[in-house]
Coordinates of all heavy atoms in Angstrom, one line a residue:
M1 N -4.6 -6.7 19.7 CA -3.1 -7.0 19.5 C -2.9 -7.3 18.1 O -3.7 -8.1 17.5 CB -2.8 -8.2 20.4 CG -1.5 -8.8 20.3 SD -1.1 -10.1 21.5 CE 0.4 -10.7 20.8
S2 N -1.9 -6.8 17.5 CA -1.6 -7.1 16.0 C -0.8 -8.3 15.9 O 0.0 -8.6 16.7 CB -1.0 -5.9 15.4 OG 0.3 -5.7 15.9
S3 N -1.0 -8.9 14.7 CA -0.2 -10.1 14.6 C 1.1 -9.7 13.8 O 1.2 -8.6 13.3 CB -1.0 -11.1 13.7 OG -1.4 -10.5 12.5
S4 N 2.0 -10.5 13.8 CA 3.2 -10.3 13.1 C 3.6 -11.4 12.1 O 3.2 -12.6 12.5 CB 4.4 -9.9 14.0 OG 4.7 -10.9 14.8
K5 N 4.4 -11.2 11.2 CA 4.8 -12.2 10.3 C 6.3 -12.2 10.2 O 6.9 -11.0 9.9 CB 4.2 -12.0 8.8 CG 4.4 -13.1 7.9 CD 3.6 -12.8 6.7 CE 3.7 -14.0 5.6 NZ 2.9 -13.8 4.5
R6 N 7.0 -13.3 10.2 CA 8.4 -13.4 10.0 C 8.7 -13.2 8.5 O 8.2 -13.9 7.7 CB 8.9 -14.6 10.6 CG 10.3 -14.7 10.6 CD 10.8 -16.1 11.3 NE 12.2 -16.2 11.4 CZ 12.8 -15.5 12.4 NH1 12.4 -14.4 13.1 NH2 14.2 -15.7 12.5
V7 N 9.6 -12.2 8.3 CA 10.1 -12.2 6.9 C 11.6 -12.2 6.9 O 12.3 -11.9 7.8 CB 9.6 -10.8 6.2 CG1 8.1 -10.8 6.1 CG2 10.1 -9.6 7.1
Q8 N 12.2 -12.6 5.8 CA 13.6 -12.5 5.5 C 13.9 -11.8 4.3 O 13.2 -12.1 3.3 CB 14.2 -14.0 5.5 CG 15.6 -14.0 5.4 CD 16.1 -15.6 5.6 OE1 15.3 -16.4 6.1 NE2 17.3 -15.7 5.2
F9 N 14.9 -10.9 4.2 CA 15.2 -10.3 3.0 C 16.7 -9.8 3.0 O 17.4 -9.9 4.0 CB 14.3 -9.1 2.8 CG 14.5 -8.0 3.8 CD1 15.4 -7.0 3.7 CD2 13.8 -8.1 5.1 CE1 15.6 -6.0 4.7 CE2 13.9 -7.0 6.1 CZ 14.8 -6.1 5.8
R10 N 17.2 -9.7 2.0 CA 18.6 -9.1 1.7 C 18.6 -7.6 1.6 O 17.7 -7.1 0.9 CB 19.2 -9.8 0.5 CG 19.5 -11.3 0.8 CD 20.4 -11.7 -0.4 NE 20.6 -13.2 -0.3 CZ 21.5 -13.7 0.5 NH1 22.3 -13.0 1.3 NH2 21.6 -15.0 0.6
A11 N 19.5 -7.0 2.2 CA 19.6 -5.5 2.2 C 21.1 -5.1 2.1 O 21.9 -5.9 2.5 CB 18.9 -4.8 3.4
P12 N 21.4 -4.0 1.5 CA 22.7 -3.6 1.4 C 23.3 -3.5 2.9 O 22.6 -3.1 3.8 CB 22.8 -2.3 0.8 CG 21.4 -2.2 0.0 CD 20.5 -3.1 0.8
E13 N 24.5 -4.0 3.0 CA 25.2 -3.9 4.3 C 25.2 -2.7 5.0 O 24.9 -2.5 6.2 CB 26.7 -4.5 4.2 CG 27.3 -4.8 5.5 CD 28.6 -5.6 5.1 OE1 28.8 -6.2 4.2 OE2 29.5 -5.3 6.1
Q14 N 25.4 -1.5 4.2 CA 25.5 -0.2 4.7 C 24.1 0.2 5.4 O 24.1 0.7 6.4 CB 25.8 0.7 3.6 CG 26.0 2.2 4.2 CD 26.4 3.3 3.2 OE1 26.5 2.9 1.9 NE2 26.6 4.5 3.5
L15 N 23.1 -0.2 4.7 CA 21.7 0.2 5.4 C 21.5 -0.6 6.7 O 21.0 0.0 7.7 CB 20.6 -0.3 4.5 CG 20.3 0.6 3.2 CD1 19.3 0.0 2.3 CD2 20.0 2.0 3.6
I16 N 21.9 -1.8 6.8 CA 21.8 -2.6 8.0 C 22.7 -2.0 9.1 O 22.4 -1.9 10.2 CB 22.1 -4.1 7.8 CG1 21.2 -4.7 6.8 CG2 22.1 -4.8 9.1 CD1 19.6 -4.6 7.1
E17 N 24.0 -1.5 8.6 CA 24.9 -1.0 9.7 C 24.3 0.4 10.2 O 24.2 0.6 11.4 CB 26.1 -0.8 8.9 CG 27.1 -1.9 8.8 CD 28.3 -1.7 8.0 OE1 28.5 -0.5 7.6 OE2 29.0 -2.7 7.8
Q18 N 23.7 1.1 9.3 CA 23.0 2.4 9.8 C 21.9 2.2 10.7 O 21.6 2.8 11.8 CB 22.5 3.2 8.6 CG 23.6 3.9 7.7 CD 23.1 4.5 6.5 OE1 22.2 4.0 5.8 NE2 23.7 5.6 6.2
A19 N 21.0 1.0 10.4 CA 20.0 0.6 11.3 C 20.4 0.2 12.6 O 19.9 0.6 13.7 CB 19.1 -0.5 10.6
D20 N 21.6 -0.6 12.6 CA 22.2 -0.9 13.8 C 22.7 0.2 14.7 O 22.5 0.3 15.9 CB 23.3 -2.0 13.6 CG 22.8 -3.2 13.0 OD1 21.6 -3.5 13.3 OD2 23.6 -4.1 12.5
I21 N 23.3 1.3 14.0 CA 23.8 2.4 14.7 C 22.6 3.1 15.4 O 22.6 3.6 16.5 CB 24.7 3.3 13.8 CG1 25.9 2.6 13.5 CG2 24.8 4.6 14.4 CD1 26.7 3.2 12.2
L22 N 21.5 3.4 14.6 CA 20.3 4.0 15.0 C 19.8 3.3 16.3 O 19.4 3.9 17.2 CB 19.4 4.3 14.0 CG 19.6 5.4 13.0 CD1 18.6 5.2 12.0 CD2 19.7 6.6 13.6
A23 N 19.6 2.0 16.2 CA 19.1 1.2 17.2 C 19.9 1.3 18.5 O 19.4 1.4 19.5 CB 19.1 -0.3 16.7
T24 N 21.2 1.2 18.3 CA 22.1 1.3 19.5 C 22.0 2.7 20.1 O 21.9 2.8 21.4 CB 23.6 1.1 19.1 OG1 23.6 -0.3 18.6 CG2 24.5 1.2 20.3
A25 N 22.0 3.7 19.4 CA 22.0 5.1 19.9 C 20.6 5.4 20.6 O 20.6 6.0 21.6 CB 22.0 6.1 18.7
A26 N 19.6 4.7 20.1 CA 18.2 4.9 20.6 C 17.8 3.9 21.7 O 16.7 3.9 22.2 CB 17.2 5.1 19.6
D27 N 18.7 2.9 22.0 CA 18.5 1.8 22.9 C 17.3 1.0 22.4 O 16.4 0.8 23.2 CB 18.3 2.3 24.2 CG 18.4 1.2 25.3 OD1 19.1 0.2 25.0 OD2 17.9 1.2 26.3
R28 N 17.2 0.8 21.2 CA 16.1 -0.1 20.5 C 16.7 -1.2 19.8 O 17.8 -1.3 19.6 CB 15.3 0.9 19.5 CG 14.7 2.1 20.1 CD 14.1 3.1 19.1 NE 13.0 2.4 18.5 CZ 12.3 2.9 17.4 NH1 12.9 4.0 16.8 NH2 11.3 2.2 16.8
D29 N 15.8 -2.1 19.4 CA 16.1 -3.2 18.5 C 16.2 -2.9 17.2 O 15.5 -2.0 16.7 CB 15.1 -4.3 18.9 CG 15.4 -5.7 18.3 OD1 16.2 -6.3 18.8 OD2 14.8 -5.9 17.2
R30 N 17.1 -3.5 16.3 CA 17.3 -3.3 15.0 C 15.8 -3.5 14.2 O 15.5 -2.7 13.4 CB 18.2 -4.3 14.3 CG 18.2 -4.2 12.7 CD 18.7 -5.4 12.1 NE 20.2 -5.5 12.4 CZ 20.8 -6.6 12.1 NH1 20.3 -7.7 11.6 NH2 22.2 -6.7 12.3
T31 N 15.1 -4.5 14.6 CA 13.8 -4.7 14.0 C 12.8 -3.6 14.1 O 12.2 -3.1 13.3 CB 13.3 -6.0 14.6 OG1 14.0 -7.1 14.3 CG2 11.8 -6.3 14.1
D32 N 12.9 -3.0 15.3 CA 12.0 -1.8 15.6 C 12.4 -0.6 14.7 O 11.5 0.0 14.2 CB 12.2 -1.2 17.1 CG 11.5 -2.3 18.0 OD1 10.7 -3.1 17.8 OD2 12.1 -2.3 19.3
V33 N 13.6 -0.5 14.5 CA 14.1 0.6 13.6 C 13.7 0.3 12.1 O 13.1 1.2 11.4 CB 15.6 0.8 13.7 CG1 16.1 1.7 12.6 CG2 16.1 1.2 15.0
I34 N 13.8 -1.0 11.7 CA 13.3 -1.2 10.3 C 11.9 -1.2 10.2 O 11.3 -0.6 9.1 CB 13.9 -2.6 10.0 CG1 15.5 -2.5 9.8 CG2 13.3 -3.1 8.6 CD1 16.2 -3.9 9.7
I35 N 11.1 -1.6 11.2 CA 9.6 -1.4 11.1 C 9.2 0.0 11.1 O 8.4 0.3 10.2 CB 9.1 -2.2 12.2 CG1 9.2 -3.7 12.1 CG2 7.5 -1.8 12.4 CD1 8.8 -4.6 13.3
E36 N 9.8 0.8 11.8 CA 9.5 2.3 11.8 C 9.8 2.8 10.5 O 9.1 3.7 9.9 CB 10.2 3.0 13.0 CG 9.7 4.5 13.0 CD 8.3 4.7 13.1 OE1 7.6 3.9 13.7 OE2 7.8 5.7 12.6
A37 N 10.9 2.5 9.9 CA 11.3 3.1 8.6 C 10.3 2.6 7.5 O 9.9 3.3 6.7 CB 12.8 2.6 8.2
L38 N 9.9 1.3 7.6 CA 8.9 0.8 6.6 C 7.6 1.4 6.8 O 6.9 1.8 5.8 CB 8.8 -0.7 6.8 CG 7.9 -1.5 5.8 CD1 8.3 -1.2 4.4 CD2 8.0 -2.9 6.1
R39 N 7.1 1.6 8.0 CA 5.8 2.4 8.4 C 5.9 3.7 7.8 O 5.0 4.3 7.1 CB 5.7 2.4 9.9 CG 5.0 1.3 10.4 CD 4.5 1.5 11.8 NE 4.1 0.2 12.4 CZ 4.5 -0.3 13.5 NH1 5.4 0.2 14.2 NH2 3.9 -1.5 13.9
S40 N 7.1 4.4 7.9 CA 7.2 5.8 7.5 C 7.2 5.9 6.0 O 6.4 6.7 5.4 CB 8.5 6.4 8.0 OG 8.6 7.7 7.5
Y41 N 7.9 4.9 5.3 CA 7.9 4.9 3.9 C 6.5 4.6 3.3 O 6.1 5.3 2.4 CB 8.9 3.8 3.4 CG 8.8 3.6 1.9 CD1 9.4 4.5 1.1 CD2 8.1 2.4 1.4 CE1 9.3 4.2 -0.3 CE2 7.9 2.3 0.1 CZ 8.5 3.2 -0.8 OH 8.4 3.0 -2.1
L42 N 5.9 3.7 3.9 CA 4.4 3.3 3.4 C 3.5 4.4 3.6 O 2.6 4.7 2.8 CB 4.0 2.1 4.1 CG 4.7 0.8 3.7 CD1 4.3 -0.4 4.6 CD2 4.6 0.4 2.2
R43 N 3.6 5.1 4.7 CA 2.7 6.3 5.0 C 2.9 7.4 4.0 O 1.9 7.9 3.4 CB 3.0 6.8 6.4 CG 2.0 7.9 6.9 CD 2.2 8.3 8.4 NE 3.5 8.4 8.8 CZ 4.1 7.4 9.6 NH1 3.4 6.4 10.1 NH2 5.4 7.5 10.1
E44 N 4.1 7.7 3.7 CA 4.5 8.8 2.8 C 4.1 8.3 1.3 O 3.5 9.1 0.5 CB 6.0 9.1 2.9 CG 6.3 9.8 4.1 CD 7.9 9.9 4.2 OE1 8.7 9.8 3.2 OE2 8.4 10.2 5.2
S45 N 4.3 7.1 1.0 CA 4.0 6.6 -0.3 C 2.5 6.6 -0.6 O 2.1 6.9 -1.7 CB 4.5 5.1 -0.5 OG 6.0 5.0 -0.5
S46 N 1.7 6.3 0.4 CA 0.3 6.2 0.2 C -0.3 7.6 0.0 O -1.5 7.7 -0.3 CB -0.4 5.5 1.5 OG -0.4 6.3 2.6
E47 N 0.4 8.6 0.3 CA -0.1 10.1 0.1 C 0.4 10.5 -1.3 O -0.1 11.5 -1.8 CB 0.5 11.0 1.1 CG 0.0 10.6 2.6 CD 0.6 11.4 3.7 OE1 1.5 12.2 3.4 OE2 0.3 11.1 4.8
S48 N 1.2 9.8 -2.0 CA 1.7 10.2 -3.3 C 0.6 9.9 -4.3 O -0.1 8.9 -4.4 CB 2.9 9.3 -3.6 OG 3.2 9.3 -5.1
D49 N 0.4 10.9 -5.2 CA -0.6 10.8 -6.3 C -0.2 9.7 -7.2 O -1.2 9.0 -7.7 CB -0.9 12.1 -7.0 CG -1.5 13.1 -6.2 OD1 -2.2 12.9 -5.2 OD2 -1.4 14.4 -6.6
D50 N 1.0 9.5 -7.5 CA 1.3 8.5 -8.5 C 1.1 7.1 -7.8 O 0.7 6.1 -8.5 CB 2.9 8.6 -8.8 CG 3.3 9.7 -9.6 OD1 2.5 10.3 -10.3 OD2 4.5 10.2 -9.5
V51 N 1.4 6.9 -6.6 CA 1.1 5.6 -6.0 C -0.4 5.3 -5.9 O -0.9 4.2 -6.0 CB 1.8 5.6 -4.5 CG1 1.3 4.3 -3.7 CG2 3.3 5.6 -4.6
K52 N -1.1 6.4 -5.5 CA -2.6 6.2 -5.5 C -3.1 5.8 -6.8 O -4.0 4.9 -7.0 CB -3.3 7.6 -5.1 CG -3.1 7.9 -3.6 CD -3.8 9.3 -3.2 CE -3.6 9.7 -1.8 NZ -4.2 11.0 -1.5
R53 N -2.5 6.4 -7.9 CA -3.0 6.0 -9.2 C -2.6 4.7 -9.6 O -3.4 3.8 -10.1 CB -2.4 7.0 -10.3 CG -2.8 6.8 -11.7 CD -2.2 7.6 -12.8 NE -0.7 7.5 -12.8 CZ 0.1 8.4 -12.4 NH1 -0.2 9.6 -12.0 NH2 1.4 8.2 -12.3
D54 N -1.4 4.2 -9.2 CA -1.0 2.8 -9.4 C -1.8 1.8 -8.6 O -2.3 0.7 -9.2 CB 0.5 2.6 -8.9 CG 1.4 3.3 -9.9 OD1 1.0 3.7 -11.1 OD2 2.6 3.5 -9.4
I55 N -2.3 2.2 -7.4 CA -3.1 1.3 -6.6 C -4.6 1.2 -7.2 O -5.2 0.2 -7.3 CB -3.1 1.7 -5.1 CG1 -1.8 1.5 -4.5 CG2 -4.3 1.1 -4.4 CD1 -1.5 2.0 -3.1
A56 N -5.0 2.4 -7.6 CA -6.4 2.5 -8.2 C -6.3 1.5 -9.5 O -7.4 0.8 -9.8 CB -6.9 3.9 -8.6
N57 N -5.3 1.7 -10.3 CA -5.3 0.9 -11.6 C -5.2 -0.6 -11.2 O -5.9 -1.5 -11.9 CB -4.1 1.3 -12.5 CG -4.3 2.7 -13.1 OD1 -5.4 3.2 -13.3 ND2 -3.2 3.4 -13.4
A58 N -4.5 -0.9 -10.3 CA -4.3 -2.3 -9.9 C -5.7 -2.9 -9.4 O -6.1 -4.0 -9.6 CB -3.2 -2.6 -8.8
Y59 N -6.4 -2.0 -8.6 CA -7.7 -2.4 -8.2 C -8.7 -2.5 -9.3 O -9.5 -3.5 -9.4 CB -8.3 -1.4 -7.2 CG -9.7 -1.6 -6.8 CD1 -10.0 -2.8 -6.1 CD2 -10.6 -0.7 -7.1 CE1 -11.4 -3.0 -5.7 CE2 -12.0 -0.9 -6.7 CZ -12.3 -2.1 -5.9 OH -13.6 -2.3 -5.6
Y60 N -8.7 -1.6 -10.2 CA -9.5 -1.6 -11.4 C -9.4 -2.8 -12.3 O -10.4 -3.3 -12.8 CB -9.6 -0.4 -12.2 CG -10.0 1.0 -11.5 CD1 -9.5 2.1 -11.7 CD2 -11.0 0.9 -10.5 CE1 -10.0 3.3 -11.0 CE2 -11.4 2.0 -9.9 CZ -10.8 3.3 -10.1 OH -11.3 4.3 -9.3
D61 N -8.2 -3.2 -12.5 CA -7.9 -4.3 -13.3 C -7.9 -5.7 -12.6 O -7.6 -6.7 -13.2 CB -6.7 -4.2 -14.2 CG -5.3 -4.2 -13.3 OD1 -5.3 -4.8 -12.2 OD2 -4.3 -3.8 -14.0
G62 N -8.2 -5.7 -11.3 CA -8.3 -6.9 -10.6 C -7.1 -7.4 -10.0 O -7.0 -8.6 -9.5
T63 N -5.9 -6.7 -10.1 CA -4.8 -7.2 -9.6 C -4.7 -7.3 -8.0 O -4.0 -8.2 -7.5 CB -3.5 -6.3 -10.1 OG1 -3.5 -6.3 -11.6 CG2 -2.2 -6.8 -9.5
I64 N -5.3 -6.4 -7.5 CA -5.4 -6.3 -6.0 C -6.9 -6.2 -5.6 O -7.7 -5.8 -6.4 CB -4.6 -5.2 -5.3 CG1 -5.2 -3.8 -5.8 CG2 -3.2 -5.3 -5.7 CD1 -4.7 -2.7 -5.0
Q65 N -7.3 -6.6 -4.5 CA -8.6 -6.7 -4.0 C -9.0 -5.4 -3.2 O -8.0 -4.6 -2.7 CB -9.0 -7.9 -3.1 CG -8.7 -9.2 -3.9 CD -9.6 -9.3 -5.1 OE1 -10.9 -9.1 -4.9 NE2 -9.2 -9.6 -6.1
Y66 N -10.2 -5.2 -2.9 CA -10.7 -4.0 -2.2 C -10.0 -4.0 -0.8 O -9.5 -2.8 -0.5 CB -12.1 -3.9 -2.0 CG -12.7 -2.9 -1.1 CD1 -12.9 -1.7 -1.7 CD2 -12.9 -3.1 0.2 CE1 -13.4 -0.6 -0.8 CE2 -13.4 -1.9 1.0 CZ -13.4 -0.7 0.5 OH -13.9 0.2 1.4
D67 N -10.0 -5.0 -0.1 CA -9.3 -4.9 1.3 C -7.9 -4.6 1.2 O -7.3 -4.0 2.1 CB -9.5 -6.3 2.0 CG -11.0 -6.5 2.4 OD1 -11.7 -5.6 2.6 OD2 -11.3 -7.7 2.7
E68 N -7.1 -5.0 0.1 CA -5.8 -4.6 0.0 C -5.6 -3.1 -0.2 O -4.7 -2.5 0.3 CB -5.2 -5.5 -1.2 CG -5.1 -7.0 -0.8 CD -4.7 -7.9 -2.0 OE1 -5.3 -7.6 -3.1 OE2 -3.9 -8.8 -1.9
M69 N -6.4 -2.7 -1.1 CA -6.4 -1.3 -1.4 C -6.7 -0.4 -0.2 O -6.1 0.5 0.1 CB -7.5 -1.0 -2.5 CG -7.5 0.5 -2.9 SD -8.8 0.9 -4.2 CE -10.3 0.3 -3.4
K70 N -7.8 -0.9 0.5 CA -8.1 -0.2 1.8 C -7.0 -0.2 2.7 O -6.7 0.8 3.5 CB -9.4 -0.8 2.3 CG -9.8 -0.2 3.7 CD -11.1 -1.0 4.1 CE -11.5 -0.7 5.5 NZ -12.7 -1.4 5.9
A71 N -6.2 -1.3 2.9 CA -5.2 -1.4 3.8 C -4.0 -0.4 3.6 O -3.3 0.1 4.4 CB -4.4 -2.8 3.8
V72 N -3.9 0.1 2.3 CA -2.8 1.0 1.9 C -3.4 2.5 1.9 O -2.7 3.4 2.5 CB -2.2 0.8 0.6 CG1 -1.2 1.8 0.1 CG2 -1.5 -0.6 0.5
L73 N -4.5 2.7 1.3 CA -5.1 4.1 1.1 C -6.0 4.4 2.2 O -6.2 5.7 2.4 CB -5.9 4.1 -0.3 CG -5.1 3.8 -1.5 CD1 -6.0 4.0 -2.7 CD2 -3.8 4.8 -1.5
G74 N -6.5 3.6 3.0 CA -7.4 3.9 4.1 C -8.9 3.8 3.6 O -9.2 3.7 2.3
P75 N -9.8 3.8 4.5 CA -11.1 3.3 4.2 C -11.9 4.5 3.3 O -12.7 4.1 2.4 CB -11.8 3.2 5.6 CG -11.0 3.9 6.5 CD -9.6 3.8 6.0
K76 N -11.7 5.7 3.6 CA -12.4 6.7 2.9 C -12.0 6.8 1.3 O -12.8 6.7 0.5 CB -12.2 8.1 3.4 CG -12.9 9.2 2.9 CD -12.6 10.5 3.5 CE -13.4 11.7 2.8 NZ -13.1 12.9 3.4
E77 N -10.6 6.8 1.2 CA -10.2 6.8 -0.3 C -10.6 5.4 -1.0 O -10.9 5.4 -2.2 CB -8.7 7.0 -0.2 CG -8.0 7.1 -1.6 CD -7.6 8.5 -1.9 OE1 -7.2 9.2 -0.9 OE2 -7.5 8.8 -3.1
A78 N -10.5 4.3 -0.3 CA -10.8 3.1 -0.9 C -12.2 3.1 -1.4 O -12.6 2.5 -2.4 CB -10.5 1.9 0.1
E79 N -13.2 3.5 -0.4 CA -14.6 3.6 -0.7 C -14.9 4.4 -1.9 O -15.7 4.1 -2.8 CB -15.4 4.0 0.6 CG -16.9 3.8 0.3 CD -17.3 2.5 0.1 OE1 -16.7 1.5 0.3 OE2 -18.5 2.2 -0.4
N80 N -14.2 5.6 -2.0 CA -14.4 6.4 -3.2 C -14.0 5.7 -4.4 O -14.8 5.9 -5.5 CB -13.7 7.8 -3.0 CG -14.1 8.6 -1.9 OD1 -15.3 8.6 -1.6 ND2 -13.3 9.6 -1.5
L81 N -12.8 5.0 -4.4 CA -12.4 4.2 -5.5 C -13.4 3.1 -6.1 O -13.7 2.8 -7.1 CB -11.0 3.8 -5.5 CG -10.0 5.0 -5.4 CD1 -8.6 4.5 -5.1 CD2 -9.9 5.7 -6.7
R82 N -13.9 2.4 -4.8 CA -14.8 1.3 -5.1 C -16.0 1.8 -5.8 O -16.5 1.3 -6.8 CB -15.2 0.6 -3.8 CG -16.0 -0.6 -4.0 CD -16.5 -1.1 -2.7 NE -17.5 -0.2 -2.1 CZ -18.7 -0.2 -2.5 NH1 -19.3 -0.7 -3.4 NH2 -19.6 0.7 -1.8
L83 N -16.6 2.9 -5.2 CA -17.8 3.5 -5.9 C -17.5 4.0 -7.4 O -18.4 3.8 -8.2 CB -18.4 4.8 -5.0 CG -18.8 4.4 -3.8 CD1 -19.1 5.7 -2.9 CD2 -20.2 3.6 -3.8
L84 N -16.4 4.6 -7.6 CA -16.0 5.0 -9.0 C -16.0 3.7 -9.9 O -16.5 3.8 -11.0 CB -14.6 5.7 -9.0 CG -14.2 6.2 -10.3 CD1 -15.3 7.2 -10.9 CD2 -12.9 6.9 -10.2
K85 N -15.4 2.7 -9.4 CA -15.3 1.5 -10.1 C -16.6 0.9 -10.7 O -16.9 0.5 -11.7 CB -14.5 0.4 -9.4 CG -14.3 -0.9 -10.3 CD -13.5 -2.0 -9.5 CE -13.4 -3.2 -10.3 NZ -12.6 -4.2 -9.7
E86 N -17.5 0.9 -9.6 CA -19.0 0.5 -9.8 C -19.6 1.4 -10.9 O -20.3 0.9 -11.8 CB -19.8 0.6 -8.6 CG -19.5 -0.6 -7.6 CD -20.4 -0.6 -6.3 OE1 -21.3 0.3 -6.3 OE2 -20.1 -1.4 -5.5
Q87 N -19.4 2.7 -10.8 CA -20.0 3.6 -11.8 C -19.4 3.3 -13.3 O -20.1 3.3 -14.1 CB -19.8 5.0 -11.4 CG -20.6 5.5 -10.2 CD -20.3 6.8 -9.7 OE1 -19.1 7.4 -10.0 NE2 -21.0 7.5 -8.9
L88 N -18.1 3.1 -13.3 CA -17.4 2.8 -14.6 C -18.0 1.6 -15.2 O -18.2 1.5 -16.3 CB -16.0 2.8 -14.5 CG -15.2 4.1 -14.0 CD1 -13.8 3.8 -13.7 CD2 -15.3 5.1 -15.2
E89 N -18.2 0.5 -14.4 CA -18.6 -0.7 -14.8 C -20.1 -0.6 -15.2 O -20.5 -1.2 -16.2 CB -18.5 -1.8 -13.7 CG -17.1 -2.2 -13.5 CD -17.0 -3.1 -12.3 OE1 -17.9 -3.2 -11.4 OE2 -15.9 -3.7 -12.1
D90 N -21.0 0.1 -14.5 CA -22.3 0.4 -14.9 C -22.3 1.2 -16.2 O -23.2 0.9 -17.1 CB -23.0 1.2 -13.9 CG -23.4 0.3 -12.6 OD1 -23.4 -0.8 -12.8 OD2 -23.8 0.9 -11.6
D91 N -21.5 2.2 -16.5 CA -21.5 3.0 -17.6 C -21.0 2.2 -18.8 O -21.6 2.3 -19.9 CB -20.5 4.1 -17.5 CG -21.0 5.3 -16.5 OD1 -22.3 5.3 -16.3 OD2 -20.2 6.2 -16.2
E92 N -20.1 1.2 -18.6 CA -19.7 0.3 -19.6 C -20.8 -0.6 -20.1 O -21.1 -0.9 -21.3 CB -18.4 -0.5 -19.3 CG -17.1 0.3 -19.1 CD -16.0 -0.5 -18.5 OE1 -16.2 -1.7 -18.2 OE2 -15.0 0.2 -18.3
L93 N -21.5 -1.1 -19.1 CA -22.6 -2.0 -19.3 C -23.8 -1.2 -20.2 O -24.2 -1.7 -21.1 CB -23.2 -2.5 -18.0 CG -24.5 -3.5 -18.3 CD1 -24.2 -4.7 -19.0 CD2 -25.0 -3.8 -16.8
A94 N -24.1 0.0 -19.7 CA -25.2 0.8 -20.3 C -24.6 1.1 -21.8 O -25.5 1.1 -22.8 CB -25.2 2.1 -19.6
E95 N -23.3 1.3 -22.0 CA -22.8 1.5 -23.4 C -22.9 0.3 -24.2 O -23.3 0.3 -25.3 CB -21.3 2.1 -23.3 CG -20.9 2.6 -24.6 CD -19.4 3.1 -24.4 OE1 -19.2 3.9 -23.5 OE2 -18.5 2.8 -25.3
D96 N -22.6 -0.8 -23.7 CA -22.8 -2.0 -24.4 C -24.2 -2.3 -24.8 O -24.5 -2.8 -26.0 CB -22.2 -3.3 -23.5 CG -20.7 -3.2 -23.3 OD1 -20.1 -2.6 -24.2 OD2 -20.3 -4.0 -22.4
V97 N -25.2 -2.1 -23.9 CA -26.6 -2.3 -24.1 C -27.0 -1.3 -25.3 O -27.7 -1.6 -26.2 CB -27.4 -2.1 -22.9 CG1 -28.9 -2.2 -23.3 CG2 -27.1 -3.2 -21.9
A98 N -26.5 0.0 -25.3 CA -26.9 0.9 -26.2 C -26.4 0.6 -27.6 O -27.0 0.9 -28.7 CB -26.3 2.3 -25.8
N99 N -25.2 -0.1 -27.7 CA -24.6 -0.5 -29.0 C -25.2 -1.8 -29.6 O -24.9 -2.2 -30.6 CB -23.2 -0.7 -28.8 CG -22.4 0.6 -28.6 OD1 -22.8 1.6 -29.0 ND2 -21.3 0.5 -27.8
L100 N -26.2 -2.4 -28.9 CA -26.9 -3.7 -29.4 C -27.8 -3.3 -30.5 O -28.4 -2.4 -30.8 CB -27.7 -4.4 -28.2 CG -26.7 -5.0 -27.2 CD1 -27.7 -5.7 -26.1 CD2 -25.9 -6.0 -27.8

């Protein structure tokens, strides 16, 4: 069973009206419509090369943690980026030692 978190946000009135219309037409709750829209957006965004690059950069500079990256990109892509980060860090260390 997944947990949920209560959030509150402001949205343009027209978007909320559209969500209400879709919810009524599909005999669903507004929250369900908004959650599905958010899921769809996040799924599509996580497939974007630009978003992947932004997430990788945020992981490499320590802005986000591995588990956060994994939650967005999935385990396979996250593990690839983790291994690459380790290699980059090892290469930097080797370069620093060579420059001594």
Side-chain angles (χ1 to χ4, degrees):
M1 178 175 167
S2 68
S3 63
S4 61
K5 184 175 185 176
R6 184 173 188 72
V7 296
Q8 184 175 344
F9 63 93
R10 294 192 178 280
E13 190 173 334
Q14 183 179 5
L15 287 178
I16 299 304
E17 288 174 2
Q18 288 175 322
D20 287 344
I21 292 167
L22 287 173
T24 299
D27 194 28
R28 296 175 65 195
D29 187 79
R30 173 200 292 168
T31 300
D32 294 336
V33 171
I34 292 172
I35 289 170
E36 182 55 36
L38 183 57
R39 279 190 183 124
S40 178
Y41 172 79
L42 293 173
R43 185 174 39 252
E44 290 173 17
S45 293
S46 68
E47 295 172 3
S48 161
D49 289 338
D50 290 339
V51 170
K52 287 179 183 180
R53 183 182 59 247
D54 291 344
I55 290 172
N57 288 336
Y59 173 63
Y60 293 151
D61 70 17
T63 304
I64 64 171
Q65 300 298 312
Y66 175 79
D67 289 340
E68 295 169 313
M69 176 181 63
K70 182 178 167 184
V72 176
L73 298 181
K76 184 177 179 180
E77 185 112 25
E79 186 61 18
N80 288 340
L81 292 172
R82 185 189 67 77
L83 292 171
L84 180 58
K85 181 180 181 181
E86 285 180 4
Q87 289 174 344
L88 290 171
E89 289 171 348
D90 286 347
D91 288 346
E92 289 173 6
L93 177 61
E95 191 175 312
D96 288 345
V97 169
N99 289 330
L100 291 177

